[in-house]
Amino acid sequence: MAPPKEMDEVLRLLPLRIGAYVPDDLLEDWFAPGKGMSPPATVAIAAAGAYGRTFECEFKHYRERKEGVFWKWVPAI
């Protein structure tokens, strides 16, 4: 399963300094189905990062929060 098209639109329109938070189970389903969760597979995290970059977004996974975050980086803050 790939991210829904609505997520493409969310990241495309994401304002600077605002995050889009995705729980681990969706990261697994969208980017590496069947690879395992708790935490998501390394391949899922890498794929999420690559997906975010297509929309000029940064991505970071927070294991302790069990979620990943996409955001648009702001230079010189």
Side-chain angles (χ1 to χ4, degrees):
M1 171 196 288
K5 292 297 178 191
E6 294 86 355
M7 191 63 182
D8 293 357
E9 198 66 10
V10 166
L11 295 185
R12 189 178 68 73
L13 298 173
L14 193 66
L16 299 178
R17 301 176 58 205
I18 302 296
Y21 300 79
V22 180
D24 280 358
D25 61 321
L26 289 180
L27 289 175
E28 152 77 19
D29 288 346
W30 291 354
F31 299 110
K35 295 291 183 185
M37 197 181 83
S38 287
T42 304
V43 67
I45 294 169
Y51 170 73
R53 285 189 297 279
T54 65
F55 300 97
E56 299 180 346
C57 289
E58 302 288 326
F59 175 79
K60 181 167 180 164
H61 181 256
Y62 293 91
R63 185 176 183 164
E64 67 282 359
R65 293 179 1 202
K66 297 183 179 182
E67 66 186 4
V69 181
F70 295 95
W71 75 95
K72 291 196 176 169
W73 184 72
V74 180
I77 277 193

